[in-house]
Amino acid sequence: MEIIATVKEMQQRSEQLRREGKSIAFVPTMGYLHKGHLSLMHEGRKRRDVLVISIFVNPTQFGPGEDYEKYPRDMKRDLALVQGAGVDIVFTPSAHEMYPDGFQTVVEVEQVTKNLCGISRPGHFRGVTTVVAKLFNIVKPHFAFFGQKDYQQLIAIKRMAEDLTMDIEVIGMPTIREPDGLAMSSRNSYLDPKQRKEATSLYRALLKGAELFRQGERSAAAILQEVRKIIEEGKSAKIDYAKICDAHTLKDIDEIKNEALIALAVTIGKTRLIDNIILKEE
Ligand code: AMP
């Protein structure tokens, strides 16, 4: 496994691989890896010649007062974890390597980033799409893998790749969960044991919403009332948003037609968790 820390070296390596006719799969991460990340790598490994991952805690996607400084980092542990995952190259740039002095260009996807986390985290998606565009230019992948756990991020990146005619296939992968249903996340490490128990309410609430939909309920308000009730049973849970949106435009909807997204952001103690589920007519 190669470890590359500079943009130039990574670009040259990718250029060389492309010249050799190799297909490149790419999994960008912020590290502190878990089975969710590993599932993306596992998929990336399939039918492609080279698997590149990046580990970079991107400062521009954190707002002031968010957890950039204390975001969990453990490079040694991460590298040990990916040894057995078929990773060929780990790209681990510094913040200065990615954002040298004078940096001033951004990539902004305008519409699908407006709702949901776009309201509570202004500038977040601009940071995400800018860094992913840069990573795409550095790693030059043919395929890039993202988790549906960050559904709005996945939609924004798909949009960006299409709108900017990037020649990259963006592939969304299912959310990997703990045995009790909590979506795996590097931020789960912030939760104390009591909060960790409470955190199961997000998925329980989503399942309840999906059950109501299956039983024929199509009113977003009626479903969201039950979803909220389950989360509000937790003492330290505070709902940032609980919404039902069009699964493609991410605009709020009142009446579900054939496909929709229930999206949640909940703060438990000081930890902000997100999760979602797709509702679809069978
Ligand atoms: P992060 O390191 O949190 O920025 O995540 C890196 C990639 O892993 C993103 O594409 C995430 O959507 C994806 N990811 C994070 N958690 C999960 C999960 N529980 N299941 C599947 N993919 C995930």
Side-chain angles (χ1 to χ4, degrees):
M1 193 167 74
E2 289 171 61
I3 297 165
I4 297 180
T6 69
V7 168
K8 195 146 205 110
E9 196 185 335
M10 186 69 238
Q11 281 179 320
Q12 284 170 350
R13 191 74 185 85
S14 290
E15 195 50 47
Q16 180 193 11
L17 289 164
R18 279 186 162 250
R19 269 203 309 270
E20 291 167 4
K22 301 267 165 65
S23 70
I24 303 175
F26 179 43
V27 177
T29 82
M30 297 207 300
Y32 214 69
L33 303 173
H34 50 68
K35 286 186 188 145
H37 297 117
L38 292 178
S39 76
L40 303 184
M41 294 175 206
H42 187 73
E43 188 62 28
R45 189 63 273 179
K46 286 187 196 160
R47 298 184 300 277
R48 283 110 199 169
D49 301 317
V50 181
L51 174 60
V52 182
I53 71 161
S54 61
I55 299 180
F56 178 61
V57 184
N58 174 37
T60 66
Q61 70 189 68
F62 290 80
E66 289 188 357
D67 56 344
Y68 174 65
E69 298 296 337
K70 68 166 188 151
Y71 194 85
R73 294 162 170 90
D74 191 341
M75 189 61 77
K76 234 169 108 183
R77 170 184 171 277
D78 286 348
L79 293 177
L81 207 65
V82 298
Q83 281 288 353
V87 174
D88 298 294
I89 302 175
V90 183
F91 178 53
T92 61
S94 67
H96 191 258
E97 183 71 14
M98 289 296 276
Y99 300 106
D101 297 341
F103 185 90
Q104 53 188 287
T105 303
V106 296
V107 177
E108 181 132 30
V109 176
E110 291 188 331
Q111 282 160 33
V112 295
T113 60
K114 279 218 159 66
N115 198 4
L116 307 175
C117 289
I119 298 173
S120 23
R121 304 187 70 191
H124 167 67
F125 288 112
R126 186 175 50 222
V128 169
T129 43
T130 301
V131 80
V132 171
K134 280 176 67 68
L135 289 167
F136 282 178
N137 283 334
I138 296 165
V139 174
K140 309 175 197 278
H142 299 87
F143 305 91
F145 298 83
F146 293 85
Q148 281 163 7
K149 195 216 135 209
D150 301 280
Y151 189 86
Q152 192 173 16
Q153 167 175 288
L154 170 64
I155 296 285
I157 289 166
K158 280 190 167 172
R159 193 73 254 161
M160 170 186 79
E162 193 164 329
D163 290 352
L164 299 183
T165 41
M166 295 170 161
D167 194 12
I168 297 168
E169 191 179 332
V170 175
I171 298 160
M173 294 296 297
T175 301
I176 304 297
R177 300 179 178 281
E178 299 286 355
D180 64 6
L182 176 65
M184 289 193 178
S185 164
S186 309
R187 287 192 170 97
N188 292 349
S189 62
Y190 297 151
L191 300 166
D192 71 26
K194 231 172 118 201
Q195 294 168 338
R196 171 66 187 76
K197 254 193 198 143
E198 243 184 64
T200 60
S201 69
L202 278 81
Y203 191 52
R204 282 189 283 116
L206 291 172
L207 287 180
K208 178 70 185 178
E211 184 191 331
L212 292 169
F213 176 78
R214 245 191 337 269
Q215 290 166 354
E217 184 60 76
R218 292 294 179 268
S219 152
I223 293 176
L224 289 174
Q225 194 182 4
E226 296 304 310
V227 164
R228 288 175 166 275
K229 214 186 275 172
I230 291 172
I231 296 166
E232 282 162 356
E233 279 164 10
K235 283 197 180 58
S236 48
K238 241 187 81 215
I239 297 175
D240 171 6
Y241 62 73
K243 290 191 167 196
I244 295 185
C245 309
D246 181 282
H248 305 281
T249 65
L250 302 186
K251 286 188 178 146
D252 294 346
I253 50 180
D254 297 326
E255 201 69 27
I256 306 168
K257 296 276 163 25
N258 34 34
E259 197 181 351
L261 176 83
I262 312 181
L264 293 177
V266 176
T267 306
I268 299 196
K270 283 186 178 157
T271 308
R272 188 172 180 282
L273 301 174
I274 58 171
D275 203 349
N276 65 77
I277 201 166
I278 293 277
L279 308 176
K280 210 171 177 173
E281 301 262 19
E282 276 160 16

